[in-house]
Amino acid sequence: MRLKRSWKIIFTITILCCFIGIIIVLLSLFAPKPPTGEVEYARELIYEAGRNNAASYSGRSFNEARSLYDSAMTKWKEENKRFILFRKYDEVSSYARSSAGKAEQAMQESKITSSNLQFKLKHKIDSLDLVVADLDRLFLAWPLPSEIRNRISRGKLLLKESLIAFDKGQYLQANRKIIDSEYLLTSSLEHASSNMTDYFRDYRLWKKWADETISASKRNSDYSVIVDKISRKCHIYHNGIKSYEFNIELGDNWVGHKSVRGDRATPEGMYKIIKKIGAGHSKYYKALLLDYPNPSDRETFRKKVAEGILPPSAKIGGQIEIHGSGGRGIDWTEGCVALTDPDMDIIYRIARVGTPVTIVGSLADLDDILR
Amino acid sequence: MKNKVLVGFATLMMIAILTGCGKAPQTQIDAVNAAIEEAKNAEAAVYLPDEFAALQNSMNAVMADIETQKGKLFKKFGDAKLKLDETLTQANQLTSSVAAKKEEVKAEVGSMMESARSVIEENKTLITKAPRGKEGAAVLEQIKSEMAAIESSLAEVQTLNDNGSFMDALNKLKAAMESANSINTELKEAIAKVRR
């Protein structure tokens, strides 16, 4: 009787186990499957997009991709809390697919944006290098207001910072810096160019003086000298034909006409040699003294004093020479025109008292210089 | 009566086996999340961005794995636990690496700052010896203005350094240093020309 009861228990438990086993098999067969592969794919794409700097270059799409991925995970967690047969992974799957799509979009956008930005920055850096080169070429020795000098300095420094960021592949940072640099440098170039344009208002007069000087050389079959301040050249004409061209050095305040004694400016006008000073008698090897100030200079000076532009105590200055001891590569004179000693020998030999010396701001017009 | 108790016990055991076999390792998850947060606060994304992205990706993978297990009848969190341990180690290592990297950048900033200051001081001496008109007084003015811009940039570098933005400080400092060196060379050349 007891044995029979034991068998009955074993039988019941076996039936129960079979029943549960069948349930497990059925549940496993019919339970909805989570979109593991889709979620994993989305995750991998987000990671790849991140490695391609999508957070920086395609922030919106990248954040959307991440947000959709988070939604997929949240939904998945919610569904896992339901009874196994009642779970629905459609939304999880949809979020994961959308996330993958957005991540792919972010990655493509990031690649395109960073590549375009890199190209744009390279072009911008090159063009700003040219602006800096122009500023150095045209205006380094040009007396500019300190505010403009400071802008140029800050602009140059920012351009360097931008280049460092660019070389590290930090294009957004480089772009921010280049925008500031561009503003500072281009506005400075505009200001300086306008300053130069003002100076070139006398260009027609300079051209007239130069033409007259060359014509006089031809007419008189004689030598004449033209000093071009901007190009730092001294041209010697004979019979109207240029026979020599020398490099020169000027005073450090060379822009504009000489106004007053001690201003270290070189006068502009039509002058003549009034004295030849030989070796041993000049502080600077040999010298040719000019007739500065001439009557026109004296008249201009008087007007400036009368108009209060110059103080009554101002003196007109003088002793402007073409002299030797040049070739230092810098502007160092008190307003004179300095040549190397060998060049000075040549000009000293051909010049005589009365040889015309015309000093102009520039022989080339502004457009040529800016080009 | 005894039979009913036995059957009931067996049923309960089966249910327990089916549903409660594995528990999600929530404590470990929390610990890893805290470690990731710590790495983030240490600016891992700034100093070691690739490593930080890899860490976040590892954690996302583990979380997906855990959800996969949670959805199963027979949950196994053994693998996930192992991966969580690895991710925790990865996060802690990253925090240490970031600290080391920060120290390295900080030291580089400090040393470069000293060099920059020394070049600036030398430039200040050189400019007094430079010809008054190195290609005109205007050029000297430009150099002085550039020196002032560099000094002002160094002040910004100091502020960035004090605020712990060592990487930004380093980038800015490199540009300032390059400019200071270029002025140094320019001034030396100008002085040499006049001495000729």
Side-chain angles (χ1 to χ4, degrees):
Chain A
M1 189 64 187
R2 183 172 281 185
L3 196 67
K4 198 178 173 185
R5 193 188 274 173
S6 295
W7 275 110
K8 202 175 174 181
I9 291 167
I10 289 166
F11 179 74
T12 310
I13 290 171
T14 309
I15 291 294
L16 196 65
C17 286
C18 289
F19 177 69
I20 290 169
I22 288 164
I23 287 176
I24 290 168
V25 170
L26 286 176
L27 284 178
S28 302
L29 283 175
F30 295 106
K33 298 280 177 285
T36 313
E38 283 169 322
V39 171
E40 194 179 331
Y41 182 58
R43 177 181 59 74
E44 277 170 6
L45 281 181
I46 287 173
Y47 178 55
E48 273 309 304
R51 280 163 57 91
N52 281 286
N53 299 313
S56 303
Y57 298 113
S58 178
R60 199 171 163 180
S61 299
F62 186 64
N63 286 338
E64 272 183 57
R66 290 208 296 192
S67 172
L68 285 163
Y69 181 82
D70 289 345
S71 299
M73 290 302 291
T74 309
K75 197 68 198 162
W76 193 359
K77 278 177 194 168
E78 280 172 16
E79 290 305 318
N80 276 348
K81 285 176 189 164
R82 290 169 185 263
F83 177 63
I84 197 162
L85 285 178
F86 298 153
R87 290 172 190 167
K88 285 180 184 168
Y89 293 111
D90 297 353
E91 265 191 89
V92 180
S93 179
S94 161
Y95 278 131
R97 278 199 305 272
S98 302
S99 170
K102 276 287 165 192
E104 193 141 26
Q105 184 186 334
M107 189 154 56
Q108 293 308 322
E109 282 174 3
S110 175
K111 279 179 185 170
I112 293 167
T113 308
S114 71
S115 160
N116 287 347
L117 190 56
Q118 183 187 11
F119 178 77
K120 187 183 128 192
L121 280 171
K122 181 82 185 73
H123 177 73
K124 193 71 92 182
I125 287 169
D126 288 348
S127 76
L128 283 183
D129 275 343
L130 287 179
V131 171
V132 170
D134 275 350
L135 281 166
D136 285 347
R137 179 174 63 89
L138 298 167
F139 303 107
L140 195 61
W142 196 274
L144 290 172
S146 61
E147 189 203 327
I148 300 299
R149 293 252 169 250
N150 294 342
R151 277 167 167 258
I152 294 172
S153 304
R154 291 208 313 275
K156 280 180 174 179
L157 207 52
L158 278 167
L159 183 59
K160 276 211 170 85
E161 287 178 23
S162 164
L163 193 60
I164 287 170
F166 180 82
D167 288 342
K168 284 184 174 178
Q170 298 166 345
Y171 302 133
L172 289 174
Q173 205 178 345
N175 194 41
R176 277 194 295 274
K177 287 183 186 296
I178 216 153
I179 288 169
D180 292 342
S181 170
E182 184 180 27
Y183 169 70
L184 291 167
L185 291 173
T186 52
S187 65
S188 301
L189 183 62
E190 276 167 22
H191 182 285
S193 300
S194 133
N195 198 308
M196 191 183 251
T197 308
D198 283 348
Y199 180 50
F200 268 79
R201 277 185 187 154
D202 283 338
Y203 176 71
R204 281 187 181 175
L205 189 62
W206 299 337
K207 187 85 175 68
K208 189 173 150 248
W209 290 343
D211 289 346
E212 277 176 25
T213 308
I214 296 166
S215 298
S217 149
K218 192 174 183 179
R219 199 169 49 243
N220 303 329
S221 300
D222 201 355
Y223 285 98
S224 59
V225 179
I226 298 176
V227 172
D228 179 342
K229 286 162 79 173
I230 283 192
S231 71
R232 301 289 198 284
K233 296 281 183 199
C234 173
H235 308 278
I236 314 282
Y237 284 85
H238 188 242
N239 290 332
I241 296 162
K242 188 158 78 176
S243 44
Y244 295 100
E245 185 181 290
F246 305 131
N247 290 324
I248 59 163
E249 284 146 10
L250 301 170
D252 52 31
N253 184 30
W254 59 273
V255 175
H257 184 54
K258 187 169 182 64
S259 295
V260 67
R261 181 189 291 173
D263 64 3
R264 302 173 76 87
T266 305
E268 289 160 10
M270 297 178 79
Y271 302 101
K272 281 188 167 54
I273 293 169
I274 54 169
K275 192 178 177 186
K276 289 176 77 172
I277 304 164
H281 299 283
S282 170
K283 195 178 168 186
Y284 303 107
Y285 185 53
K286 291 176 183 174
L288 301 167
L289 181 67
L290 305 185
D291 64 340
Y292 174 84
N294 61 21
S296 163
D297 295 322
R298 287 183 195 283
E299 181 55 32
T300 309
F301 179 76
R302 263 196 299 275
K303 264 189 189 169
K304 281 185 177 172
V305 173
E307 286 167 7
I309 297 168
L310 292 172
S313 60
K315 300 273 188 297
I316 193 167
Q319 295 294 308
I320 297 296
E321 299 173 340
I322 295 175
H323 59 59
S325 301
R328 302 181 188 187
I330 56 167
D331 285 329
W332 55 277
T333 74
E334 296 288 330
C336 294
V337 177
L339 276 67
T340 62
D341 291 349
D343 290 345
M344 192 61 212
D345 281 336
I346 297 171
I347 196 169
Y348 190 84
R349 179 170 47 78
I350 60 181
R352 58 175 177 79
V353 170
T355 297
V357 176
T358 295
I359 305 174
V360 297
S362 172
L363 287 174
D365 70 12
L366 184 59
D367 287 344
D368 282 342
I369 286 177
L370 292 179
R371 263 200 296 275
Chain B
M1 183 62 192
K2 202 176 172 183
N3 284 353
K4 281 181 183 172
V5 171
L6 265 172
V7 171
F9 181 72
T11 313
L12 279 174
M13 283 297 288
M14 290 301 282
I15 291 168
I17 287 164
L18 290 176
T19 59
C21 225
K23 282 272 175 206
Q26 194 54 48
T27 318
Q28 268 178 287
I29 293 172
D30 292 343
V32 176
N33 279 331
I36 291 175
E37 195 60 23
E38 203 180 325
K40 190 180 170 186
N41 291 338
E43 295 180 288
V46 176
Y47 290 90
L48 295 165
D50 290 346
E51 288 82 349
F52 185 62
L55 173 69
Q56 282 181 315
N57 184 50
S58 300
M59 186 56 182
N60 284 342
V62 177
M63 290 309 290
D65 197 22
I66 287 170
E67 282 314 312
T68 307
Q69 291 304 321
K70 276 184 182 174
K72 288 181 178 173
L73 276 171
F74 299 101
K75 302 171 177 58
K76 284 186 219 161
F77 291 108
D79 265 4
K81 282 178 184 173
L82 279 177
K83 282 179 190 166
L84 279 170
D85 281 344
E86 282 169 17
T87 313
L88 182 66
T89 311
Q90 195 184 341
N92 289 335
Q93 272 174 356
L94 182 60
T95 307
S96 309
S97 303
V98 169
K101 177 83 181 170
K102 263 188 183 180
E103 279 308 310
E104 189 187 309
V105 177
K106 192 179 171 184
E108 199 180 347
V109 169
S111 127
M112 199 183 277
M113 189 82 153
E114 230 163 79
S115 307
R117 281 191 179 131
S118 137
V119 175
I120 284 171
E121 284 311 309
E122 192 188 354
N123 287 351
K124 281 181 183 169
T125 314
L126 286 173
I127 208 156
T128 60
K129 295 176 189 167
R132 191 179 165 270
K134 196 247 160 208
E135 290 186 77
V139 178
L140 216 58
E141 283 310 306
Q142 183 61 47
I143 291 176
K144 280 180 186 168
S145 151
E146 282 177 22
M147 281 165 64
I150 292 167
E151 280 200 275
S152 149
S153 180
L154 280 196
E156 285 174 41
V157 168
Q158 190 61 61
T159 310
L160 286 168
N161 205 36
D162 294 344
N163 292 340
S165 304
F166 306 120
M167 205 66 109
D168 290 341
L170 184 63
N171 286 352
K172 211 169 184 54
L173 186 54
K174 276 182 181 169
M177 185 73 193
E178 216 174 275
S179 300
N181 281 334
S182 134
I183 288 176
N184 191 273
T185 311
E186 199 178 344
L187 284 172
K188 281 177 180 166
E189 280 174 6
I191 292 166
K193 271 181 184 174
V194 176
R195 278 185 185 155
R196 270 200 296 152

Short mmCIF file of all heavy atoms in Angstrom, two decimals, chain B residues 92-126:
data_model
loop_
_atom_site.label_atom_id
_atom_site.label_comp_id
_atom_site.label_asym_id
_atom_site.label_seq_id
_atom_site.Cartn_x
_atom_site.Cartn_y
_atom_site.Cartn_z
N ASN B 92 38.65 52.79 -14.22
CA ASN B 92 39.59 53.26 -13.19
C ASN B 92 40.95 53.57 -13.79
O ASN B 92 41.58 54.56 -13.44
CB ASN B 92 39.74 52.22 -12.09
CG ASN B 92 38.49 52.13 -11.25
OD1 ASN B 92 37.72 53.08 -11.17
ND2 ASN B 92 38.25 50.98 -10.64
N GLN B 93 41.37 52.70 -14.73
CA GLN B 93 42.67 52.94 -15.40
C GLN B 93 42.63 54.24 -16.20
O GLN B 93 43.60 55.00 -16.21
CB GLN B 93 43.00 51.78 -16.34
CG GLN B 93 43.73 50.66 -15.63
CD GLN B 93 43.94 49.46 -16.52
OE1 GLN B 93 43.47 49.41 -17.66
NE2 GLN B 93 44.61 48.45 -15.99
N LEU B 94 41.47 54.47 -16.83
CA LEU B 94 41.34 55.67 -17.64
C LEU B 94 41.45 56.92 -16.76
O LEU B 94 42.14 57.88 -17.10
CB LEU B 94 40.01 55.66 -18.41
CG LEU B 94 39.77 56.84 -19.33
CD1 LEU B 94 40.83 56.94 -20.40
CD2 LEU B 94 38.40 56.74 -20.00
N THR B 95 40.78 56.88 -15.60
CA THR B 95 40.84 58.03 -14.68
C THR B 95 42.30 58.29 -14.27
O THR B 95 42.73 59.44 -14.24
CB THR B 95 39.97 57.77 -13.43
OG1 THR B 95 38.66 57.42 -13.88
CG2 THR B 95 39.88 58.99 -12.54
N SER B 96 43.02 57.20 -13.98
CA SER B 96 44.44 57.35 -13.61
C SER B 96 45.24 57.91 -14.77
O SER B 96 46.07 58.80 -14.60
CB SER B 96 45.05 56.02 -13.21
OG SER B 96 44.25 55.39 -12.27
N SER B 97 44.97 57.38 -15.98
CA SER B 97 45.72 57.84 -17.16
C SER B 97 45.45 59.31 -17.43
O SER B 97 46.35 60.05 -17.82
CB SER B 97 45.32 57.03 -18.40
OG SER B 97 45.54 55.69 -18.18
N VAL B 98 44.18 59.72 -17.24
CA VAL B 98 43.84 61.12 -17.47
C VAL B 98 44.62 62.00 -16.49
O VAL B 98 45.18 63.04 -16.88
CB VAL B 98 42.32 61.35 -17.33
CG1 VAL B 98 41.99 62.83 -17.30
CG2 VAL B 98 41.59 60.70 -18.48
N ALA B 99 44.66 61.56 -15.24
CA ALA B 99 45.39 62.34 -14.22
C ALA B 99 46.87 62.45 -14.61
O ALA B 99 47.46 63.54 -14.52
CB ALA B 99 45.25 61.66 -12.86
N ALA B 100 47.43 61.32 -15.09
CA ALA B 100 48.84 61.34 -15.50
C ALA B 100 49.05 62.25 -16.70
O ALA B 100 50.00 63.02 -16.75
CB ALA B 100 49.29 59.92 -15.84
N LYS B 101 48.11 62.15 -17.67
CA LYS B 101 48.21 62.97 -18.88
C LYS B 101 48.11 64.46 -18.51
O LYS B 101 48.85 65.29 -19.04
CB LYS B 101 47.08 62.57 -19.84
CG LYS B 101 47.00 63.37 -21.11
CD LYS B 101 47.95 62.86 -22.14
CE LYS B 101 47.88 63.68 -23.41
NZ LYS B 101 48.93 63.39 -24.34
N LYS B 102 47.19 64.75 -17.57
CA LYS B 102 47.02 66.14 -17.12
C LYS B 102 48.31 66.65 -16.51
O LYS B 102 48.75 67.76 -16.78
CB LYS B 102 45.91 66.21 -16.06
CG LYS B 102 44.58 66.62 -16.60
CD LYS B 102 43.63 66.85 -15.44
CE LYS B 102 42.27 67.20 -15.91
NZ LYS B 102 41.33 67.44 -14.83
N GLU B 103 48.90 65.82 -15.67
CA GLU B 103 50.16 66.22 -15.01
C GLU B 103 51.25 66.47 -16.05
O GLU B 103 52.02 67.41 -15.94
CB GLU B 103 50.62 65.12 -14.04
CG GLU B 103 49.92 65.15 -12.70
CD GLU B 103 49.96 66.52 -12.02
OE1 GLU B 103 51.05 67.11 -11.92
OE2 GLU B 103 48.89 67.02 -11.61
N GLU B 104 51.25 65.58 -17.08
CA GLU B 104 52.24 65.71 -18.14
C GLU B 104 52.07 67.05 -18.89
O GLU B 104 53.03 67.79 -19.09
CB GLU B 104 52.02 64.55 -19.12
CG GLU B 104 53.07 64.37 -20.18
CD GLU B 104 52.63 63.30 -21.17
OE1 GLU B 104 52.25 62.18 -20.74
OE2 GLU B 104 52.62 63.60 -22.36
N VAL B 105 50.80 67.34 -19.25
CA VAL B 105 50.52 68.60 -19.97
C VAL B 105 50.82 69.80 -19.07
O VAL B 105 51.41 70.78 -19.50
CB VAL B 105 49.05 68.62 -20.45
CG1 VAL B 105 48.71 69.94 -21.12
CG2 VAL B 105 48.79 67.48 -21.41
N LYS B 106 50.44 69.66 -17.78
CA LYS B 106 50.66 70.74 -16.82
C LYS B 106 52.17 71.05 -16.70
O LYS B 106 52.59 72.20 -16.71
CB LYS B 106 50.12 70.31 -15.45
CG LYS B 106 50.02 71.42 -14.44
CD LYS B 106 49.44 70.85 -13.16
CE LYS B 106 49.51 71.84 -12.03
NZ LYS B 106 49.04 71.27 -10.78
N ALA B 107 52.95 69.96 -16.63
CA ALA B 107 54.41 70.13 -16.52
C ALA B 107 54.97 70.77 -17.78
O ALA B 107 55.83 71.65 -17.72
CB ALA B 107 55.07 68.78 -16.28
N GLU B 108 54.42 70.33 -18.95
CA GLU B 108 54.87 70.90 -20.22
C GLU B 108 54.54 72.40 -20.27
O GLU B 108 55.36 73.21 -20.71
CB GLU B 108 54.19 70.17 -21.38
CG GLU B 108 54.93 70.37 -22.68
CD GLU B 108 54.28 69.65 -23.86
OE1 GLU B 108 53.41 68.80 -23.63
OE2 GLU B 108 54.65 69.97 -25.00
N VAL B 109 53.32 72.74 -19.82
CA VAL B 109 52.92 74.15 -19.79
C VAL B 109 53.87 74.94 -18.89
O VAL B 109 54.36 76.01 -19.26
CB VAL B 109 51.44 74.30 -19.31
CG1 VAL B 109 51.11 75.76 -19.02
CG2 VAL B 109 50.49 73.76 -20.34
N GLY B 110 54.13 74.37 -17.70
CA GLY B 110 55.01 75.05 -16.73
C GLY B 110 56.38 75.31 -17.31
O GLY B 110 56.89 76.44 -17.25
N SER B 111 56.94 74.27 -17.92
CA SER B 111 58.30 74.41 -18.46
C SER B 111 58.33 75.36 -19.66
O SER B 111 59.22 76.19 -19.78
CB SER B 111 58.84 73.02 -18.79
OG SER B 111 59.31 72.95 -20.08
N MET B 112 57.32 75.24 -20.52
CA MET B 112 57.28 76.12 -21.70
C MET B 112 57.02 77.57 -21.29
O MET B 112 57.54 78.51 -21.89
CB MET B 112 56.21 75.64 -22.68
CG MET B 112 56.41 76.20 -24.07
SD MET B 112 55.13 75.71 -25.20
CE MET B 112 55.67 74.12 -25.69
N MET B 113 56.22 77.72 -20.24
CA MET B 113 55.91 79.06 -19.73
C MET B 113 57.20 79.74 -19.26
O MET B 113 57.41 80.92 -19.52
CB MET B 113 54.93 78.91 -18.56
CG MET B 113 54.35 80.20 -18.09
SD MET B 113 52.97 80.64 -19.15
CE MET B 113 52.03 81.59 -18.01
N GLU B 114 58.00 78.95 -18.58
CA GLU B 114 59.28 79.50 -18.08
C GLU B 114 60.18 79.91 -19.25
O GLU B 114 60.76 81.01 -19.24
CB GLU B 114 59.98 78.44 -17.24
CG GLU B 114 60.43 78.99 -15.89
CD GLU B 114 60.75 77.88 -14.94
OE1 GLU B 114 61.84 77.33 -15.07
OE2 GLU B 114 59.89 77.56 -14.10
N SER B 115 60.24 79.03 -20.25
CA SER B 115 61.06 79.35 -21.44
C SER B 115 60.53 80.61 -22.12
O SER B 115 61.30 81.47 -22.51
CB SER B 115 61.02 78.22 -22.45
OG SER B 115 61.36 77.03 -21.85
N ALA B 116 59.20 80.68 -22.25
CA ALA B 116 58.59 81.83 -22.93
C ALA B 116 58.93 83.12 -22.18
O ALA B 116 59.29 84.13 -22.79
CB ALA B 116 57.09 81.66 -23.03
N ARG B 117 58.82 83.06 -20.85
CA ARG B 117 59.11 84.26 -20.04
C ARG B 117 60.57 84.67 -20.21
O ARG B 117 60.87 85.86 -20.30
CB ARG B 117 58.80 83.98 -18.57
CG ARG B 117 57.31 84.08 -18.31
CD ARG B 117 57.01 84.07 -16.83
NE ARG B 117 55.58 84.18 -16.63
CZ ARG B 117 54.85 83.41 -15.86
NH1 ARG B 117 55.43 82.45 -15.19
NH2 ARG B 117 53.56 83.60 -15.73
N SER B 118 61.43 83.66 -20.25
CA SER B 118 62.85 83.96 -20.39
C SER B 118 63.14 84.59 -21.76
O SER B 118 63.91 85.54 -21.87
CB SER B 118 63.64 82.68 -20.14
OG SER B 118 64.65 82.52 -21.03
N VAL B 119 62.49 84.06 -22.83
CA VAL B 119 62.68 84.65 -24.17
C VAL B 119 62.13 86.08 -24.20
O VAL B 119 62.75 86.98 -24.76
CB VAL B 119 61.99 83.77 -25.27
CG1 VAL B 119 62.09 84.43 -26.63
CG2 VAL B 119 62.61 82.40 -25.33
N ILE B 120 60.99 86.28 -23.53
CA ILE B 120 60.39 87.62 -23.50
C ILE B 120 61.32 88.60 -22.80
O ILE B 120 61.54 89.72 -23.27
CB ILE B 120 59.00 87.57 -22.83
CG1 ILE B 120 58.00 86.96 -23.80
CG2 ILE B 120 58.53 88.96 -22.41
CD1 ILE B 120 56.65 86.64 -23.21
N GLU B 121 61.91 88.16 -21.69
CA GLU B 121 62.85 89.03 -20.96
C GLU B 121 64.05 89.36 -21.85
O GLU B 121 64.50 90.50 -21.90
CB GLU B 121 63.32 88.36 -19.67
CG GLU B 121 62.29 88.37 -18.55
CD GLU B 121 61.68 89.74 -18.30
OE1 GLU B 121 62.44 90.72 -18.14
OE2 GLU B 121 60.43 89.85 -18.30
N GLU B 122 64.54 88.33 -22.55
CA GLU B 122 65.69 88.55 -23.44
C GLU B 122 65.30 89.54 -24.55
O GLU B 122 66.07 90.44 -24.90
CB GLU B 122 66.14 87.22 -24.05
CG GLU B 122 67.49 87.34 -24.75
CD GLU B 122 67.87 86.08 -25.53
OE1 GLU B 122 67.16 85.07 -25.45
OE2 GLU B 122 68.90 86.16 -26.22
N ASN B 123 64.07 89.37 -25.07
CA ASN B 123 63.60 90.28 -26.13
C ASN B 123 63.53 91.72 -25.63
O ASN B 123 63.84 92.65 -26.37
CB ASN B 123 62.23 89.84 -26.64
CG ASN B 123 62.30 88.60 -27.48
OD1 ASN B 123 63.39 88.14 -27.83
ND2 ASN B 123 61.16 88.02 -27.80
N LYS B 124 63.13 91.87 -24.36
CA LYS B 124 63.03 93.22 -23.79
C LYS B 124 64.42 93.88 -23.74
O LYS B 124 64.55 95.08 -23.97
CB LYS B 124 62.43 93.16 -22.39
CG LYS B 124 60.92 93.01 -22.40
CD LYS B 124 60.40 92.97 -20.99
CE LYS B 124 58.90 92.73 -20.97
NZ LYS B 124 58.42 92.44 -19.63
N THR B 125 65.42 93.08 -23.44
CA THR B 125 66.79 93.61 -23.41
C THR B 125 67.25 93.88 -24.84
O THR B 125 67.84 94.93 -25.11
CB THR B 125 67.73 92.56 -22.77
OG1 THR B 125 67.11 92.08 -21.59
CG2 THR B 125 69.08 93.16 -22.45
N LEU B 126 66.96 92.94 -25.73
CA LEU B 126 67.41 93.09 -27.12
C LEU B 126 66.81 94.33 -27.78
O LEU B 126 67.49 95.01 -28.54
CB LEU B 126 67.04 91.84 -27.93
CG LEU B 126 67.84 90.58 -27.68
CD1 LEU B 126 67.23 89.41 -28.43
CD2 LEU B 126 69.29 90.77 -28.14
#
